[in-house]
Amino acid sequence: MPNNALVTGVAGFIGSHLAERLVADGWNVRGVDSFTDYYPRTVKEGNLAKLRTESRFEFIEGDLNLVDLTKLLNGVEVVFHQAAQAGVRASWGQNFSAYLESNVAATQRLLEAAKGLPLRKFVFASSSSVYGDSDDLPLREESPLQPISPYGVTKLACEKLCYLYYRNFGVPVISLRYFTVYGPRQRPDMAFHRFIRWISAGHEVTVYGDGEQTRDFTYVADAVEATLLAAKSDLVGEVLNIGGGSQVTVGHVIQRIGEIVGREPRIVHEAPQHGDVRHTWADTTRAREMLGFRPKVDLEAGLRAQIAWQADNSPIGGAEWPL
């Protein structure tokens, strides 16, 4: 019998890739998405295009704070909770209420509905943002958790909610802290997408800070693989780092994109943004030992794949999102 999964945020970047992989592996997938206006709906509809042709895929449009969760979870064996209001820089000020509703409240409501159900696993998509601007590198799951953005605060709150529903009600949760996921379908507001769009168009490249800040970049297929390994594992109540092993400077990435597309980047430096961290670097020992996770796609191959995808999807990735 096939496995039955719920993927929240299924029209998003990681969610759509995950759902496609599940369907390809023989799962029945129910996907839900509310099409928040953080970026154009047409981008998300493009993400769903292939899935909508699959007989094993069922789509429900709705807000997790409003939909009938009993119906949504009916027959589901594994929950992949990818839905969230994304974006570190946009999470300040009056926008924070949207992050509370879409991240914290929606996660609590979903966990509440999940308690008592015969779920095999509830996989929560967390973020390296929970660590904040730490010098304790590489970041281990036991490293101090001091997020420096409202977004990071909501992700940490969701992790804590997952754990308390595990401890008190036995919900079989596992939280995955993704480190800077990139690849085809990356959100238009994310750094790689913007850098590729700007350099390809001969536009100036805005860099917040000196460009020497580093990130641990994770290719989307590797993030999906780790997520599936977590769902199939016997682990519950755990938190794991998911990184790609490509910790490089932002400046290096920009130069490499320029070399691949054949244009010299014209970089303009601006002040660092509130909530941005200086360095990230994941210690993935626990994911390797507990899940057998090892990233397979290096930065060069991943960059080329994303550049090729954006070249083929310029109306989605460019014209509908300002330079």
Side-chain angles (χ1 to χ4, degrees):
M1 294 290 291
N3 296 305
N4 298 307
L6 171 68
V7 178
T8 70
V10 72
F13 169 36
I14 302 175
S16 60
H17 280 282
L18 173 61
E20 285 184 2
R21 170 68 186 275
L22 290 167
V23 170
D25 286 355
W27 292 58
N28 293 322
V29 177
R30 180 176 298 146
V32 60
D33 205 289
S34 64
F35 293 106
T36 59
D37 60 2
Y38 186 69
Y39 58 97
R41 176 171 179 144
T42 48
V43 176
K44 299 176 186 179
E45 290 285 7
N47 294 344
L48 285 177
K50 182 179 179 183
L51 283 166
R52 286 186 183 275
T53 68
E54 300 285 355
S55 62
R56 291 185 181 275
F57 178 71
E58 173 192 5
F59 178 69
I60 297 171
E61 181 174 349
D63 185 328
L64 289 175
N65 284 307
L66 300 174
V67 298
D68 183 341
L69 293 181
T70 300
K71 182 178 179 181
L72 190 68
L73 290 165
N74 182 44
V76 169
E77 298 165 279
V78 179
V79 173
F80 296 96
H81 184 30
Q82 294 283 330
Q85 182 72 13
V88 167
R89 295 168 183 163
S91 62
W92 298 94
Q94 293 183 348
N95 290 337
F96 186 55
S97 60
Y99 287 77
L100 286 175
E101 286 296 315
S102 297
N103 298 358
V104 182
T107 298
Q108 187 274 338
R109 189 168 184 260
L110 190 59
L111 287 163
E112 184 71 19
K115 72 181 187 183
L117 297 180
L119 292 178
R120 295 209 315 270
K121 198 63 60 69
F122 185 112
V123 185
F124 171 64
S126 189
S127 166
S128 61
S129 295
V130 300
Y131 292 111
D133 207 3
S134 176
D135 293 326
D136 184 30
L137 300 172
L139 294 162
R140 296 163 290 107
E141 288 84 356
E142 300 83 5
S143 295
L145 303 176
Q146 294 288 348
I148 61 169
S149 69
Y151 168 77
V153 168
T154 64
K155 280 297 188 179
L156 181 55
C158 290
E159 281 191 17
K160 299 301 185 182
L161 284 168
C162 286
Y163 184 74
L164 71 86
Y165 272 86
Y166 159 67
R167 281 297 301 269
N168 287 278
F169 304 107
V171 179
V173 302
I174 184 167
S175 295
L176 304 180
R177 292 173 181 161
Y178 297 138
F179 280 68
T180 315
V181 182
Y182 72 102
R185 298 185 206 150
Q186 190 187 51
R187 295 197 323 268
D189 65 297
M190 295 185 74
F192 279 21
H193 197 294
R194 290 184 294 119
F195 294 158
I196 293 167
R197 190 168 68 247
W198 288 337
I199 295 170
S200 298
H203 193 272
E204 289 182 342
V205 178
T206 300
V207 175
Y208 297 106
D210 60 9
E212 293 302 307
Q213 61 267 45
T214 63
R215 296 290 181 270
D216 190 338
F217 298 108
T218 311
Y219 189 67
V220 63
D222 286 329
V224 166
E225 177 66 18
T227 306
L228 286 175
L229 289 171
K232 296 173 183 178
S233 74
D234 294 328
L235 297 178
V236 290
E238 293 283 353
V239 177
L240 301 176
N241 287 337
I242 304 301
S246 298
Q247 194 216 13
V248 298
T249 68
V250 170
H252 172 80
V253 169
I254 292 170
Q255 291 301 322
R256 193 68 199 103
I257 292 171
E259 291 166 1
I260 294 171
V261 304
R263 285 182 179 268
E264 183 67 27
R266 295 186 295 121
I267 300 173
V268 176
H269 292 277
E270 295 190 5
Q273 298 287 287
H274 295 296
D276 286 353
V277 302
R278 182 67 175 169
H279 301 291
T280 66
W281 179 19
D283 182 334
T284 56
T285 301
R286 184 180 288 184
R288 184 173 64 252
E289 293 179 349
M290 293 184 169
L291 300 180
F293 169 67
R294 289 176 173 79
K296 297 177 181 178
V297 181
D298 62 25
L299 183 62
E300 177 74 15
L303 270 179
R304 288 185 176 275
Q306 182 168 342
I307 289 168
W309 178 83
Q310 287 188 222
D312 291 339
N313 292 271
S314 55
I316 292 176
E320 297 189 26
W321 191 265
L323 285 172

